[in-house]
Amino acid sequence: MSDKRTVTITLDGTNKKSVIPLMSGTAGADVFDIRKVYGELGLFTFDPGYGATASCESKITYIDGDVGVLEYRGYPIEQLAEKSNFLEVCYLLLNGDLPNAEQGKDFEMGVMRHTMLHEQLRTFYNGFRRDAHPMAVMCGVVGALSAFYHDSLDIHDAESRRISAFRLIAKVPTIAAWAYKYSVGQPFVYPRNDLTYAENFLHMFHAVPAEEYKINPVLSKAMDLIMILHADHEQNASTSTVRLAGSTGANPFACIAAGIASLWGPAHGGANEAVLKMLTDIGHVRNIPDFLEDVKDRGNHAKLMGFGHRVYKNYDPRAKIIQKACHDVLRELGIKGDPLLDLAIELEKIALSDKYFIDRKLYPNVDFYSGIILKAMGFPTSMFTALFAVSRTVGWVAQWKEMIEDPDQRIGRPRQIYTGPATRPYVDTDKRG
Ligand code: ACO
């Protein structure tokens, strides 16, 4: 929303000035709208990593990183985690409000009716090596959905957008579970629409035709919770990737495949996998001080994985929720004193009282504990980021849809400050030094 206040900047040594309007949102920092500055002063802004740039207007998710608040459409994550379920959260993110009973049922049916993959897509899996990372398979197969569902590729048609949203949310669990089954040489398990979204995922992932798979309600509740916590997180790297790809008019399946690629990195969705590796490498509580010294030695480029966040300069609220869920799951599974969890709790305690981490406001993020809970639930480390992608697909789709439906939407095209060579003539090979 525009505001009556302005910021004025004057270019030193000239009489050129720009009166920049301010905009306020419902909550969070105000912004100044620099769109006319280039025309008035001939200047761009410089913000590598976009730490100070609002790239869009959005009504979906709000984060207050200083106090550790996360809300989807205004609802605090703690309340959604306690009272809601993943498909209800999907409806909320996509449509702006919680569904009434009938809307909820229709939505659930709409999603669950799309869980199967086109049978021809099965053959794609055979093209991958068995040891392919599940995220490599996900990038490929999700992108390939655009080759199968031509009837929902018209991004300017609301019904087409609705169907592709259903398809993406419904099919990513099948794609991820099959990536795992392929890697271990087990038969693909087809989806079951009588199960909840989380139950169906556990079923496709863990079941084998040789015996009955019984779903443990504590585990399916934990799975649902993990999905809720990861469903959206405003303009993070992968979401911004989806928006940037979508701003060109690319189809939603291609855009979500781009988001999956962006999520893969260890600084983003790959962090929970990296946390587990880090804990395993540390090995014992007595090695924590040495490990932290390595992290603090800036020449090493080592990081305390699962700590720090671009936006949270306080405890990530998702980390608190997942830490509790972690204890519940381990108790249910009869795992007493899991060495990795014990190590993680001690590492967190020591880091939170260390000046290096205090000064830099580095707190645990969601990934610090998510790897431990996923491991206890029987997921191999390589699947962690794929599970994150399954949960985040709804957030990506909601943000993509919001962007396409915004009348002011333009292609995303940042500028740069060019610091390469000035113009110079071509030099023939025999005259080069
Ligand atoms: N361990 C050690 N030092 C750290 C860490 C860390 N995990 N995170 C940041 N720092 C240091 C930085 O080196 C920097 O130090 P300096 O001021 O002496 O140069 C200072 O803290 C400030 O950090 P920034 O670089 O400004 O943090 P930025 O916002 O660029 O990065 C990020 C955020 C990428 C998440 C970073 O904290 C990190 O790499 N953490 C580990 C990986 C991780 O857990 N990622 C998951 C993020 S949550 C998610 O995607 C779901």
Side-chain angles (χ1 to χ4, degrees):
M1 287 164 267
S2 6
D3 190 305
K4 289 208 174 79
R5 294 169 302 156
T6 55
V7 169
T8 303
I9 49 173
T10 313
L11 188 56
D12 284 355
T14 70
N15 57 2
K16 282 189 186 173
K17 71 173 183 181
S18 181
V19 180
I20 306 170
L22 257 62
M23 291 168 78
S24 304
T26 322
D30 294 338
V31 303
F32 54 95
D33 177 353
I34 50 109
R35 278 176 288 187
K36 293 203 176 120
V37 171
Y38 178 69
E40 289 170 353
L41 301 181
L43 300 174
F44 291 132
T45 53
F46 183 59
D47 183 21
Y50 313 116
T53 298
S55 63
C56 63
E57 201 179 312
S58 181
K59 295 181 171 54
I60 302 175
T61 292
Y62 173 66
I63 302 174
D64 184 335
D66 293 328
V67 280
V69 163
L70 169 62
E71 294 171 355
Y72 296 159
R73 303 280 190 184
Y75 294 104
I77 191 69
E78 293 81 4
Q79 293 180 24
L80 293 169
E82 189 193 333
K83 299 181 179 171
S84 189
N85 62 65
F86 182 65
L87 278 185
E88 187 177 76
V89 166
C90 290
Y91 183 98
L92 173 69
L93 288 169
L94 288 166
N95 299 297
D97 261 315
L98 288 168
N100 63 28
E102 198 186 330
Q103 289 166 330
K105 225 169 128 200
D106 284 354
F107 182 77
E108 197 175 321
M109 204 188 293
V111 171
M112 296 312 283
R113 286 258 169 91
H114 286 92
T115 52
M116 290 202 305
L117 298 182
H118 191 292
E119 197 59 15
Q120 185 70 14
L121 264 170
R122 276 184 71 113
T123 58
F124 271 61
Y125 285 82
N126 295 332
F128 290 100
R129 281 171 52 139
R130 294 270 176 192
D131 60 357
H133 194 285
M135 287 295 276
V137 177
M138 295 226 16
C139 288
V141 179
V142 172
L145 293 177
S146 28
F148 285 83
Y149 300 102
H150 300 136
D151 56 334
S152 62
L153 295 184
D154 181 359
I155 62 166
H156 301 297
D157 175 55
E159 183 57 10
S160 191
R161 290 196 296 274
R162 196 178 72 87
I163 300 291
S164 52
F166 279 158
R167 284 181 168 152
L168 276 157
I169 296 163
K171 291 180 199 307
V172 280
T174 316
I175 294 171
W178 285 14
Y180 169 69
K181 288 295 188 195
Y182 182 74
S183 72
V184 289
Q186 287 180 5
F188 294 153
V189 176
Y190 282 84
R192 268 184 47 195
N193 297 352
D194 58 321
L195 300 176
T196 68
Y197 190 88
E199 287 170 347
N200 175 50
F201 181 68
L202 291 176
H203 172 257
M204 289 190 293
F205 193 88
H206 291 299
V208 287
E211 55 191 60
E212 192 193 348
Y213 173 70
K214 285 212 174 67
I215 293 159
N216 178 328
V218 174
L219 299 193
S220 62
K221 189 166 182 320
M223 189 77 254
D224 196 77
L225 175 77
I226 292 167
M227 287 171 166
I228 292 175
L229 297 183
H230 288 86
D232 193 47
H233 214 229
E234 53 119 310
Q235 309 312 319
N236 54 80
S238 55
T239 303
S240 298
T241 303
V242 169
R243 280 189 178 255
L244 199 54
S247 76
T248 68
N251 74 68
F253 303 109
C255 296
I256 303 308
I260 293 171
S262 174
L263 185 75
W264 195 352
H268 192 8
N272 50 13
E273 191 174 333
V275 169
L276 221 63
K277 184 176 177 313
M278 173 189 75
L279 293 173
T280 311
D281 289 348
I282 296 174
H284 195 278
V285 171
R286 67 172 168 269
N287 300 327
I288 293 176
D290 282 352
F291 169 75
L292 289 181
E293 283 316 306
D294 276 353
V295 167
K296 291 188 280 181
D297 175 356
R298 307 317 317 281
N300 270 342
H301 300 292
K303 287 236 158 116
L304 173 50
M305 299 312 284
F307 255 65
H309 198 275
R310 171 58 60 81
V311 182
Y312 293 119
K313 301 303 168 196
N314 202 323
Y315 225 105
D316 177 341
R318 302 167 301 174
K320 281 189 191 159
I321 300 170
I322 216 161
Q323 190 199 40
K324 185 186 167 298
C326 208
H327 286 290
D328 294 347
V329 165
L330 294 179
R331 197 178 320 112
E332 167 67 19
L333 296 173
I335 303 174
K336 287 194 193 104
D338 177 67
L340 287 186
L341 181 61
D342 294 346
L343 186 57
I345 290 172
E346 194 56 24
L347 181 56
E348 176 189 338
K349 208 163 85 193
I350 297 175
L352 287 178
S353 58
D354 188 303
K355 189 171 172 339
Y356 174 96
F357 296 93
I358 296 170
D359 287 353
R360 290 168 178 76
K361 297 189 176 162
L362 299 170
Y363 290 84
N365 58 52
V366 67
D367 288 324
F368 195 68
Y369 286 104
S370 64
I372 297 172
I373 192 170
L374 291 172
K375 178 174 171 277
M377 290 169 74
F379 293 107
T381 320
S382 62
M383 276 304 293
F384 293 177
T385 317
L387 272 160
F388 190 162
V390 168
S391 319
R392 182 54 60 82
T393 294
V394 64
W396 290 329
V397 172
Q399 300 268 354
W400 168 82
K401 194 168 152 291
E402 181 180 66
M403 180 192 66
I404 298 295
E405 290 167 7
D406 178 354
D408 290 337
Q409 187 261 321
R410 302 169 73 199
I411 186 168
R413 190 3 177 138
R415 306 303 294 249
Q416 63 171 11
I417 171 164
Y418 174 71
T419 54
T423 313
R424 50 184 173 167
Y426 181 81
V427 181
D428 292 329
T429 318
D430 58 347
K431 298 209 174 79
R432 292 176 206 161

